[in-house]
């Protein structure tokens, strides 16, 4: 009986924000399903630890690079390093992001600019500089982490809403650009709601993690918050050739919030 091939066998993925949370979960999932992965993070030690963890399970599949996603020069260096290590790049998962700010009146301009830089400027830089590496190894897939907050606004999320909405439409522009050029590279965005990752720690504000989880779950029609693998499976689908006819689209992973 022939050995089962992974769903992304032979793919070479570059993942930002890969030291923890959604990025790490996606890196593990893609490696499990046959891809080589480069874990990129501003936390270089965390990226190296994540790559070591993946290699302990799937030897030779993971590499680590240091990357501040707001720095154009670091993008150029990190992609060149990843291309050399993996023998190419054909999947880009622009996942790094931060929250910050409150209402439009209460958010200072520096915070607003910082959120835009990390959440949307990074996606622009990643797409701009990764596409030339991806073209020779097509078919390829760009997956950009937006948020349900990129589609539905909140009164106290001015900076985050603006950034994640920017990721949403930038993903579509990139999709149309690649299609028009005949690159055979797709571009889609994913839109999670609350997921059980370390980012929730910054939302606790005196509550225990359990109390916060219960509070957030009440806002979700399914009555639960998501787990990292809920997003990783979506990334796996979009990275694979199973989604070869899907581009310029948004995948909502929100437990039904956007249906209300």
């Amino acid at each position: 009986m022939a050995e089962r091939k992974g769903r992304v066998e032979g793919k070479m993925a570059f993942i930002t924000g890969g030291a923890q949370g959604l990025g790490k979960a996606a890196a593990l999932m893609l490696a499990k399903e046959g891809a080589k992965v480069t874990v990129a993070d501003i936390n270089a030690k965390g990226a190296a630890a994540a790559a070591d963890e993946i290699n302990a399970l799937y030897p030779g599949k993971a590499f680590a690079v240091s990357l501040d996603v707001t720095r154009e020069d670091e993008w150029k260096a990190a992609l060149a390093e990843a291309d050399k290590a993996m023998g190419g790049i054909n999947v880009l998962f622009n996942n790094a992001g931060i929250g910050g700010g409150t209402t439009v009146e209460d958010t200072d301009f520096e915070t607003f600019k910082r959120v835009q830089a990390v959440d949307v400027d990074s996606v622009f830089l990643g797409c701009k500089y990764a596409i030339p590496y991806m073209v020779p190894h097509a078919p390829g897939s760009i997956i950009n982490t937006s948020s349900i907050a990129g589609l539905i606004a909140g009164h106290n999320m001015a900076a985050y809403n603006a950034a994640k909405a920017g990721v949403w439409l930038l993903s579509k522009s990139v999709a149309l650009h690649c299609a028009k050029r005949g690159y055979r590279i797709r571009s889609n965005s994913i839109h999670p709601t609350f997921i059980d990752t370390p980012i929730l720690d910054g939302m606790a504000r005196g509550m225990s993690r359990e109390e916060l989880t219960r509070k957030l779950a009440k806002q979700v029609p399914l009555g639960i918050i998501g787990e990292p693998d809920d997003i990783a499976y979506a990334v796996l689908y979009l990275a694979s050739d199973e989604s070869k006819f899907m581009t310029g689209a948004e995948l909502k992973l929100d437990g039904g919030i956007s249906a209300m």
Side-chain angles (χ1 to χ4, degrees), residues 224-247:
I224 56 174
I225 66 171
E227 299 175 355
D229 273 358
D230 295 326
I231 311 305
Y233 277 114
V235 173
L236 174 62
Y237 168 67
L238 291 173
S240 77
D241 293 337
E242 297 165 13
S243 56
K244 65 183 177 63
F245 198 54
M246 184 175 181
T247 196

